[in-house]
Amino acid sequence: MIPNFNGAKPIYLQISEWLETEILNDHFQSDEKIYSQYQLAEMFNINPATAAKGLNLLADEQILYKRRGLGMYVTANAKEMITNKRKNQTLKQLIIEVVQEAQRLNVTKEELIKMINNTEPGEGGK
């Protein structure tokens, strides 16, 4: 997942979600130092303050912690926290949207379950 800075979602949120995905994909481990606001700003050609806002959001959620003068680090249970957050927020919202669309299209629960069971990851709506 690469941030889409032309989208409607604020850049700092995209940065925080991208970092979460990096943690989920094991690119960063517990107690490992994460990119600095300046590294993120350079990587994505954004304002360092915007990058800092994304980092601070994760620190506020206790996914990252600060070591004074050293930077931000991944907390021990960050992966579990991100997984739970995405299940309870992102995935739940997507499911609500799919169910609502299925209702508009008169797709039964059984048909929808069959569609889910027959969908392979990475199909992208084929």
Side-chain angles (χ1 to χ4, degrees), residues 20-82:
E20 286 178 348
T21 301
E22 290 291 287
I23 293 167
L24 288 175
N25 289 335
D26 292 324
H27 295 144
F28 292 99
Q29 304 296 319
S30 296
D31 296 315
E32 186 176 347
K33 185 175 181 178
I34 203 147
Y35 300 117
S36 73
Q37 70 186 64
Y38 300 105
Q39 289 172 312
L40 290 168
E42 188 174 318
M43 287 169 61
F44 296 114
N45 197 27
I46 60 172
N47 187 308
T50 302
K53 194 170 180 181
L55 288 166
N56 287 328
L57 180 63
L58 295 177
D60 291 345
E61 294 176 358
Q62 299 178 344
I63 291 169
L64 300 179
Y65 65 94
K66 297 177 186 181
R67 285 189 181 166
R68 190 179 191 116
L70 297 176
M72 295 259 198
Y73 291 77
V74 179
T75 59
N77 58 344
K79 199 168 181 175
E80 180 184 345
M81 291 170 64
I82 295 165

Side-chain angles (χ1 to χ4, degrees), residues 91 114-126:
L91 198 53
K114 186 176 180 182
M115 290 172 75
I116 292 168
N117 288 335
N118 291 329
T119 302
E120 293 296 321
E123 280 190 15
K126 290 182 183 176

Side-chain angles (χ1 to χ4, degrees), residues 6 9 11 19 36 64 72 91 99 102 108 110 114 122:
N6 296 324
K9 188 180 285 190
I11 294 171
L19 288 169
S36 73
L64 300 179
M72 295 259 198
L91 198 53
V99 169
T108 67
E110 291 75 22
K114 186 176 180 182

